[in-house]
Amino acid sequence: MSDGAEAVMRPDEASFRTVLGHFATGVTIITAMDGDVPCGLAANSFTSVSMDPPLVLFCVAKDSSTWPKIRAAGSFAVNILGDDQEDICRVFATRGADRFSRIGWRASGGSSSPLLHDALAYVDCSIETEYDAGDHVVVIGRVIELGVTAKGGPLLFYRGGYGRFEA
Ligand SMILES: Cc1cc2nc3c(=O)[nH]c(=O)nc-3n(C[C@H](O)[C@H](O)[C@H](O)COP(=O)(O)O)c2cc1C
């Protein structure tokens, strides 16, 4: 079935971004402790993997400056953003930004990773394993502790823009 709008493209960077951008996702901030200093980055590659044992994953670019810190910590928290936290996402996607200057946080009970104030929910993990995958690393986390921490709708990311969920 076709409505005539299809366009077959070779997988170059532009077509990859355009086509994969049609997959709507939520937005997370992956956080960890770099010694006494919190660190984190925005990521929409988060997904659940397994219930038994409880596993999740995210993919991180090999040139990420935060990934070596998360890896050294051996644990991370996934903070699922609400639809009023677009500005937080932008800060955590900007290199050189003082990412924790505009948001409060507390240490998780499991791994002591930063849990961001007003995030919808969190998943606290230890790093189970990692897989080399092209220009990214697939990071598998074993869930230690998790919770729903705020009411409200999720922040969504679709075709390079932000939106809200409406049933
Ligand atoms: C909505 C959104 C989702 C993103 N998802 C990812 C992701 O899943 N993995 C990743 O490595 N970078 C992702 N990024 C890009 C990083 O957040 C961005 O490159 C950041 O500056 C990386 O910081 P770092 O180099 O300090 O780690 C995303 C950015 C945005 C805005």
Side-chain angles (χ1 to χ4, degrees):
M1 291 281 283
S2 167
D3 63 2
E6 76 183 57
V8 178
M9 293 177 263
R10 293 187 184 284
D12 58 23
E13 186 173 338
S15 64
F16 195 85
R17 285 184 187 281
T18 300
V19 174
L20 275 297
H22 284 71
F23 184 58
T25 67
V27 181
T28 73
I29 307 296
I30 309 290
T31 57
M33 290 305 291
D34 177 25
D36 293 340
V37 181
C39 63
L41 79 159
N44 67 342
S45 55
F46 169 71
T47 192
S48 63
V49 174
S50 163
M51 181 64 252
D52 185 19
L55 302 174
V56 298
L57 72 73
F58 69 97
C59 304
V60 65
K62 285 181 179 169
D63 67 358
S64 161
S65 65
T66 307
W67 165 233
K69 300 172 186 172
I70 298 172
R71 185 195 230 169
S75 56
F76 62 89
V78 182
N79 296 266
I80 299 173
L81 295 186
D83 57 18
D84 58 349
Q85 294 185 302
E86 180 180 329
D87 55 336
I88 301 299
C89 177
R90 289 182 187 280
V91 170
F92 278 83
T94 303
R95 288 225 165 126
D98 186 358
R99 295 181 177 171
F100 284 82
S101 65
R102 285 164 51 189
I103 187 150
W105 60 278
R106 66 182 173 89
S108 68
S111 73
S112 299
S113 297
L115 304 184
L116 303 183
H117 286 178
D118 301 326
L120 283 188
Y122 73 93
V123 187
D124 191 18
C125 302
S126 59
I127 296 178
E128 178 84 356
T129 188
E130 62 185 79
Y131 297 104
D132 186 275
D135 54 15
H136 278 59
V137 176
V138 181
V139 183
I140 306 284
R142 180 179 280 250
V143 180
I144 306 168
E145 179 189 297
L146 69 177
V148 176
T149 41
K151 288 184 176 161
L155 182 63
L156 301 183
F157 192 67
Y158 174 65
R159 297 183 68 185
Y162 297 91
R164 293 164 176 239
F165 175 75
E166 280 179 32

